[in-house]
Amino acid sequence: MKKMMLFLLPVILFAASSAPRESPEKPTKNFNSGFDAQNAGNFEEAIQFYKKAIEEKSDDADAWNNMGYCYRMVAKANLSESGDAYAKALAIDPSHKQALEYQGEYFVMVGQLMSAYRNYEALKKVDSDEAAKVQSKLNGVLLEAQAVLKNYTP
């Protein structure tokens, strides 16, 4: 059951999403500029246009939704860079306790729970206080997954 939860959790948490949609109502110039920037992969620029569109029309659900999508895409890119930085730190010093902890927390965030568990085990092996922090993150995710699986029907 635990292996099944570890497998399903990333699928549940990080399921692929469809691209944001164009506003069905009369979109503003800022919304259209945001949509164009977003489709070109310029997410930070798109966010600025969506903010302006929301200033013009605060109840535009599509502008809010697309802005959220763009923020998520920016965060996703930064998370990847974060993971690369931890990997480089650990290539230099494989026993760097704080890098092991932070990388473990990064792995939890991106749904790589087995990798997070390996970091937890490495920290535990060297009797590091940071092991408890990674364990706490893993426990939180596993408890949430158990709650989801109680109500989940495929």
Side-chain angles (χ1 to χ4, degrees), residues 17-28:
S17 64
S18 59
R21 64 181 202 181
E22 197 166 356
S23 182
E25 298 176 15
K26 266 190 170 174
T28 66

Side-chain angles (χ1 to χ4, degrees), residues 126-142:
V126 296
D127 199 32
S128 171
D129 293 339
E130 280 83 2
K133 295 174 185 173
V134 176
Q135 182 183 30
S136 174
K137 299 284 185 186
L138 278 168
N139 287 345
V141 170
L142 292 174

Side-chain angles (χ1 to χ4, degrees), residues 82-134:
S82 173
D84 292 344
Y86 296 136
K88 287 177 185 171
L90 290 167
I92 295 166
D93 180 1
S95 62
H96 194 289
K97 292 177 183 177
Q98 196 170 42
L100 282 166
E101 174 203 343
Y102 289 171
Q103 185 187 50
E105 292 176 7
Y106 159 79
F107 285 143
V108 170
M109 288 179 76
V110 298
Q112 295 179 22
L113 302 181
M114 287 305 297
S115 295
Y117 182 76
R118 282 191 288 276
N119 281 49
Y120 161 72
E121 287 292 319
L123 287 164
K124 203 168 113 179
K125 189 180 283 187
V126 296
D127 199 32
S128 171
D129 293 339
E130 280 83 2
K133 295 174 185 173
V134 176

Side-chain angles (χ1 to χ4, degrees), residues 60-87:
D60 186 340
D62 290 317
W64 282 104
N65 176 61
N66 289 4
M67 186 170 65
Y69 175 87
C70 291
Y71 272 122
R72 186 164 48 96
M73 293 300 104
V74 169
K76 189 175 174 182
N78 290 336
L79 276 177
S80 177
E81 290 176 15
S82 173
D84 292 344
Y86 296 136

